[in-house]
Amino acid sequence: MSTLIVQWANQHDFHTLLKRSEVEDKPVLLDLHSPECSGCRGHDRDIYSDSDVARDIAEHTFPVRVVTTAPDQAATDIINNHIYIWSPTIQLLAPDQTRYHEWNGAPRRTRLSVGYQTVFHDTPGHLTPESFKAQLLVGRGKAALRKKKHGESIRLFDEAITRHSTDRVTVEEATRWRKVARNGGVIESTWDRHRQVTTSPLAIAVERFAQTVATVPDELLMKDWVGKPGAGDWQWYSDCLREVVLQGYQELCDFAVTAERERAKHGPQFNDTYRLLGQHRFAYREFQSLFVGVPDALLDNTPLRSERSIRENLAHVVMAEWWAYRPQILHALDRGRKGLPPQAVPAADTVAQHGEPPGNHESLHELLALYERVHLRNTQDYSGITHDELGIRSAWWELGPVELRFRLQRYIWHPRDHAVSIDKILDASGHRHTANHRFASRLFSGLGTAEAALIGADGFFTDQIDSLAITINQRADEAARLLNQVTDS
């Protein structure tokens, strides 16, 4: 084995090097390393032993390695502060310990901790000396950008693109941040009433209405309504935007009541799987509503120590539902149907089927659109699980197999958990949802309620769905007219 060239400091030097980082304007390279991890050993053998990599690390960073096996208190404090969930985790840090960059494509070995009780498989990763150097350039460019050194950041992003033109992830991320640097550090927002992420007619209508409502100033909530009054008794509650939004929410909820009643008489009957997936749909739409009015510029803020950024939370939820839950649930279902005992899917098999977990440099619109596709595909594929099959045992990182019912229950609360984290970050970032943002969120809640009534009943109640979508779209058009009156005056 080659002798290591990188001269690593350890956890006891970490805070001293953070102070030097501020004085000398050079970031800390943190490597969370486990000697038992084959990927970590591979990094030492194939990447850190490369003379060009070692030179770049020494010239441009303060390298610190923290061993995650049997850590002392100093190592534990660092591990807990840096969202460590597998070895190796490689991050480029600012003096305040916030992350400039985390390397994509590193091998993965799940940590030992409460909730993640077993290390079940390693994955090889795809980092090479060249891709490591490419991401170091991107990380340095992001560091310069945060310091408002726009010329330097453009130079580093250009170097990454030119020198590593065949590295897709590097080129995509460097190109994105280069545009921001050329724009003086201004990050354009990408999710609004003109750029949608939903795909079904009813969801598109609700998204249009909600995004338009969120754009209207709060003082117009009680302004005389410019559109048609509601149908039937709702005509008495159509005086202003506030009433019309709540009317739309109630129409979505009433649709769910009617759909459930008609489904009980004529359509596919509800079972526990459909109910669980309906709960997840409601949680998903409420999670989605958090991002109404959130500018892309907030995605990478890390105002809370030991917390992920908004981008990292969102990318993690997408990764977990597609790259983690999905293969384990479908694998357990397949083995149970064949009468085979529970067995975890080897992580290497997951990589072979789905590729490495996605990066997280995309825009808010791109991440939300990806989550929409992942969520709908999972719902479709899980809806075939019968009531009896919810009792199939699923092996993963727990100390023993659990029922698929439990696996789906945990799948439900996962976006709820991260919604709380995102809300905390928004508060700590000084972002406050307006009253109209909150009313817009209610429309997403109504959408989740309506859609939950239709899980497992594709093609059922289509005329009523189309009629409701037309009504909601009319409301969106009328709200846009109200907005235009304000902007034109």
Side-chain angles (χ1 to χ4, degrees):
M1 180 179 292
S2 302
T3 302
L4 293 181
I5 299 175
V6 177
Q7 301 301 308
W8 296 103
N10 62 32
Q11 63 268 27
H12 302 292
D13 306 307
F14 182 63
H15 292 284
T16 298
L17 291 177
L18 288 172
K19 293 177 182 177
R20 287 186 61 188
S21 172
E22 186 167 18
V23 172
E24 301 180 33
D25 194 23
K26 193 161 72 170
V28 167
L29 177 72
L30 176 63
D31 182 274
L32 296 169
H33 173 93
S34 171
E36 292 80 15
C37 166
S38 61
C40 296
R41 297 194 300 272
H43 272 204
D44 284 345
R45 181 183 64 248
D46 301 326
I47 295 176
Y48 294 135
S49 62
D50 182 273
S51 58
D52 290 336
V53 169
R55 184 187 65 249
D56 284 353
I57 289 174
E59 183 176 350
H60 300 295
T61 77
F62 293 114
V64 178
R65 168 167 287 178
V66 175
V67 175
T68 60
T69 304
D72 61 16
Q73 189 58 53
T76 298
D77 289 344
I78 296 170
I79 290 167
N80 289 342
N81 283 336
H82 291 279
I83 325 296
Y84 164 64
I85 57 173
W86 45 56
S87 298
T89 294
I90 312 165
Q91 298 175 346
L92 199 66
L93 303 180
D96 63 359
Q97 298 194 51
T98 57
R99 294 171 295 285
Y100 293 131
H101 184 71
E102 181 164 319
W103 266 251
N104 294 305
R108 303 180 188 276
R109 180 180 178 88
T110 305
R111 69 177 176 181
L112 288 165
S113 71
V114 175
Y116 301 81
Q117 289 289 337
T118 58
V119 172
F120 53 95
H121 290 287
D122 290 352
T123 67
H126 60 254
L127 275 180
T128 65
E130 284 303 307
S131 61
F132 184 96
K133 290 186 292 183
Q135 290 196 48
L136 180 56
L137 281 169
V138 172
R140 290 171 56 206
K142 289 160 72 174
L145 180 58
R146 190 189 295 185
K147 299 168 191 170
K148 303 187 186 306
K149 298 180 179 180
H150 299 136
E152 181 182 348
S153 64
I154 291 171
R155 178 185 64 77
L156 289 164
F157 294 138
D158 282 343
E159 184 178 350
I161 293 167
T162 301
R163 288 177 52 185
H164 304 281
S165 59
T166 60
D167 187 327
R168 179 186 59 82
V169 173
T170 292
V171 170
E172 287 181 358
E173 185 166 12
T175 300
R176 177 184 184 276
W177 290 113
R178 184 183 186 278
K179 179 180 178 181
V180 174
R182 287 182 60 84
N183 201 25
V186 176
I187 301 175
E188 296 179 356
S189 293
T190 59
W191 191 37
D192 54 33
R193 65 195 181 98
H194 302 296
R195 289 168 284 193
Q196 297 181 306
V197 300
T198 54
T199 56
S200 74
L202 181 59
I204 290 170
V206 171
E207 183 185 359
R208 283 189 62 231
F209 191 19
Q211 287 283 20
T212 304
V213 169
T215 307
V216 174
D218 277 2
E219 57 266 24
L220 295 185
L221 269 175
M222 302 302 293
K223 186 177 176 62
D224 289 346
W225 182 238
V226 298
K228 298 177 181 178
D233 292 342
W234 284 115
Q235 64 182 303
W236 310 115
Y237 296 91
S238 305
D239 293 340
C240 60
L241 177 61
R242 178 178 180 273
E243 290 185 348
V244 170
V245 171
L246 292 173
Q247 182 184 137
Y249 165 78
Q250 193 59 49
E251 286 170 335
L252 288 160
C253 294
D254 289 346
F255 169 87
V257 172
T258 303
E260 289 176 3
R261 182 178 64 244
E262 293 303 308
R263 184 171 176 175
K265 295 177 180 177
H266 310 294
Q269 298 299 299
F270 270 107
N271 60 28
D272 284 2
T273 299
Y274 298 156
R275 292 186 179 94
L276 289 168
L277 294 176
Q279 291 173 19
H280 189 267
R281 176 62 57 87
F282 186 79
Y284 166 67
R285 290 303 183 200
E286 290 211 324
F287 179 88
Q288 196 175 48
S289 75
L290 276 175
F291 298 95
V292 173
V294 172
D296 282 48
L298 292 182
L299 290 184
D300 297 290
N301 282 13
T302 50
L304 301 174
R305 190 176 181 187
S306 306
E307 295 273 0
R308 292 180 171 96
S309 66
I310 293 173
R311 179 192 303 281
E312 290 166 334
N313 271 281
L314 177 52
H316 168 81
V317 172
V318 176
M319 181 274 288
E321 294 200 7
W322 181 258
W323 196 88
Y325 283 99
R326 177 183 173 82
Q328 296 297 342
I329 289 172
L330 295 181
H331 182 69
L333 182 64
D334 179 65
R335 290 184 65 83
R337 286 172 173 172
K338 294 175 179 176
L340 299 173
Q343 178 188 70
V345 179
D349 289 0
T350 299
V351 172
Q353 182 176 357
H354 297 292
E356 289 286 341
N360 58 356
H361 60 272
E362 294 87 354
S363 70
L364 177 59
H365 180 277
E366 290 168 335
L367 287 169
L368 290 175
L370 173 61
Y371 193 11
E372 180 84 1
R373 295 192 298 272
V374 165
H375 171 80
L376 295 178
R377 174 69 182 276
N378 282 346
T379 301
Q380 181 67 37
D381 290 347
Y382 297 162
S383 63
I385 300 173
T386 67
H387 176 85
D388 290 341
E389 288 173 340
L390 290 173
I392 288 175
R393 309 294 287 184
S394 164
W396 201 359
W397 51 43
E398 300 88 0
L399 290 179
V402 302
E403 289 188 347
L404 277 185
R405 179 186 297 275
F406 172 81
R407 190 72 72 212
L408 288 176
Q409 289 168 342
R410 192 173 185 280
Y411 174 70
I412 292 164
W413 69 248
H414 192 244
R416 293 285 193 201
D417 182 23
H418 287 275
V420 173
S421 297
I422 291 169
D423 219 12
K424 285 167 50 183
I425 295 168
L426 290 172
D427 281 345
S429 299
H431 180 81
R432 296 293 183 268
H433 283 296
T434 67
N436 280 349
H437 288 150
R438 291 182 171 89
F439 278 110
S441 295
R442 297 288 68 76
L443 292 170
F444 277 95
S445 299
L447 174 63
T449 301
E451 291 177 321
L454 299 171
I455 298 293
D458 293 345
F460 179 72
F461 229 46
T462 54
D463 290 344
Q464 292 84 348
I465 295 170
D466 291 343
S467 176
L468 181 56
I470 290 171
T471 298
I472 300 292
N473 269 317
Q474 288 172 345
R475 295 302 192 202
D477 292 339
E478 291 165 345
R481 192 159 75 245
L482 176 64
L483 178 61
N484 291 335
Q485 287 181 1
V486 177
T487 56
D488 292 343
S489 60

